[in-house]
Structure formats: C-alpha cells, structure tokens
C-alpha cells in the first residue's frame, strides 16, 4: 500500500508563501490584465473595516484589514513595459506596494492622489464599480464622491469601470 505524505506549512511559512504568490501576480498577471482591459491606471480606494473585495486580496498575509483610507494606484506604461504600484497611504503595503504619500508635505490624501494622476496623465482610469458583479463594485459612494470632488474635470471624463480587470484579478 502506497502512502502519501503532505506537509502543512506553519503560519509564518504560509504567510511568506502567500506574499510570494501575490508578488508574482503583481509582476506577471496584473500587467497583462491591465493591457487586456485597456486601462493604464487602476485606482482602488478602500475604507478600514469596509474593504473593497479586490483590494482585500492584495493585502499582505499578515494584514487583516486595510488601514484608515487605503488607496492603491497601479499605473501601466505599456510603451516602457512598466507597472508602478503605489499606495496613497502613510505606509507601504507589504513589500509589493510602496507609499507615495508624505502627509507632512501634502496633508490632503485626495490631493496627493490627484497629483499622482496629473503626473502620469492616464488615458483611462479604472475604478471598482460594477452593475453586475458585486466583487467588482467595492468603491463606496462616499469615497467616489470625495474623489470626484477633488479630481479635475478632464480626468473625470477618463473614469471607467474596472469590472473586467477586477474580475480577471
């Protein structure tokens, strides 16, 4: 009789493996998904204890929740074949997403986000809104309204649903 042995990783090793797999998805899957969906910027905005379902899958293994208002910006430059991963937050999100906001230099988080958008000048900005898929509809109305109040009109016209990208992720 043949027996199989399975090894169960301890919690610390599982967390390391999960974060390695997440980094692989950011590096190898996300650029293709963004290209396929026609988006050059994807913005995920989430509130602590009311996380966007997609954003929650991007948090490091040791995090239970987003913190305060967490904003992640992915910017895909197809010509240079690059993908920037930025957190408009006071902290890095694990090792994969680096903080791009210095609260002392720019106290307004929304303005810090708008500055990132202006610097990159994306053609299409995807937000997690969806009529048909709850998992792709994680942007709460309050954050949507505040974002729009701060976003210049020319960029408001570039906002689209990131439904296909969110479901693909």
């Amino acid at each position: 009789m043949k027996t199989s042995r399975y090894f169960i990783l301890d919690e610390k090793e599982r967390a390391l493996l999960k974060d390695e797999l997440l980094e692989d998805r950011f590096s190898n899957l996300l650029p293709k998904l963004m290209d396929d969906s026609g988006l050059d910027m994807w913005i995920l905005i989430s509130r602590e204890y009311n996380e966007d379902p997609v954003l929650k899958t991007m948090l490091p293994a040791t995090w239970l929740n987003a913190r305060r208002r967490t904003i992640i910006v992915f910017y895909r430059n197809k010509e240079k074949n690059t993908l920037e991963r930025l957190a408009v937050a006071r902290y890095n999100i694990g090792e994969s997403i680096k903080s791009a906001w210095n609260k002392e230099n720019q106290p307004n988080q929304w303005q810090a986000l708008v500055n990132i958008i202006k610097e990159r000048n994306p053609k299409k900005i995807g937000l997690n809104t969806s009529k048909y898929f709850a998992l792709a509809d994680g942007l709460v109305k309050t954050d949507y309204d505040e974002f729009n109040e701060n976003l210049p009109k020319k960029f408001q016209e570039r906002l689209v649903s990131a439904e296909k990208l969110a479901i693909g992720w």
Side-chain angles (χ1 to χ4, degrees):
M1 184 168 125
K2 186 176 178 181
T3 60
S4 297
R5 289 200 167 176
Y6 296 95
F7 296 95
I8 298 174
L9 299 175
D10 66 31
E11 287 185 44
K12 187 174 184 177
E13 291 170 324
R14 274 183 268 169
L16 290 171
L17 178 60
K18 180 184 181 232
D19 289 345
E20 283 178 30
L21 293 170
L22 186 57
E23 176 60 32
D24 182 66
R25 288 176 57 115
F26 284 138
S27 298
N28 298 305
L29 177 63
L30 188 53
K32 180 175 179 358
L33 292 175
M34 289 185 74
D35 293 349
D36 290 349
S37 64
L39 298 176
D40 52 341
M41 185 171 279
W42 188 20
I43 300 175
L44 294 95
I45 304 170
S46 200
R47 307 257 305 267
E48 189 172 31
Y49 307 120
N50 189 22
E51 286 80 10
D52 176 308
V54 176
L55 183 137
K56 196 161 175 109
T57 69
M58 297 175 171
L59 299 178
T62 56
W63 288 30
L64 296 176
N65 304 87
R67 297 179 180 158
R68 305 202 183 205
R69 177 176 292 112
T70 298
I71 302 172
I72 300 176
V73 177
F74 296 105
Y75 176 66
R76 174 76 171 136
N77 185 323
K78 206 170 173 181
E79 290 76 38
K80 293 181 181 178
N81 196 27
T82 58
L83 177 71
E84 283 186 276
R85 299 177 265 172
L86 307 169
V88 186
R90 292 177 290 169
Y91 41 80
N92 293 336
I93 298 177
E95 297 295 318
S96 296
I97 303 171
K98 301 299 178 197
S99 174
W101 178 37
N102 182 330
K103 189 174 181 180
E104 286 69 39
N105 292 344
Q106 174 50 263
N108 184 315
Q109 188 178 23
W110 294 115
Q111 190 56 54
L113 174 59
V114 167
N115 291 343
I116 288 170
I117 295 168
K118 285 179 178 177
E119 288 169 12
R120 286 149 185 86
N121 195 25
K123 294 174 190 78
K124 283 176 106 178
I125 304 168
L127 297 175
N128 284 359
T129 60
S130 174
K131 183 175 180 179
Y132 303 105
F133 296 97
L135 293 174
D137 193 36
L139 179 58
V140 298
K141 181 160 180 1
T142 302
D143 283 341
Y144 179 81
D145 289 347
E146 285 189 45
F147 176 48
N148 266 304
E149 286 170 18
N150 287 277
L151 191 64
K153 184 160 180 55
K154 79 174 194 174
F155 292 108
Q156 289 175 10
E157 295 167 357
R158 301 177 191 184
L159 296 176
V160 297
S161 170
E163 177 182 276
K164 180 179 178 184
L165 177 54
I167 294 299
W169 173 259

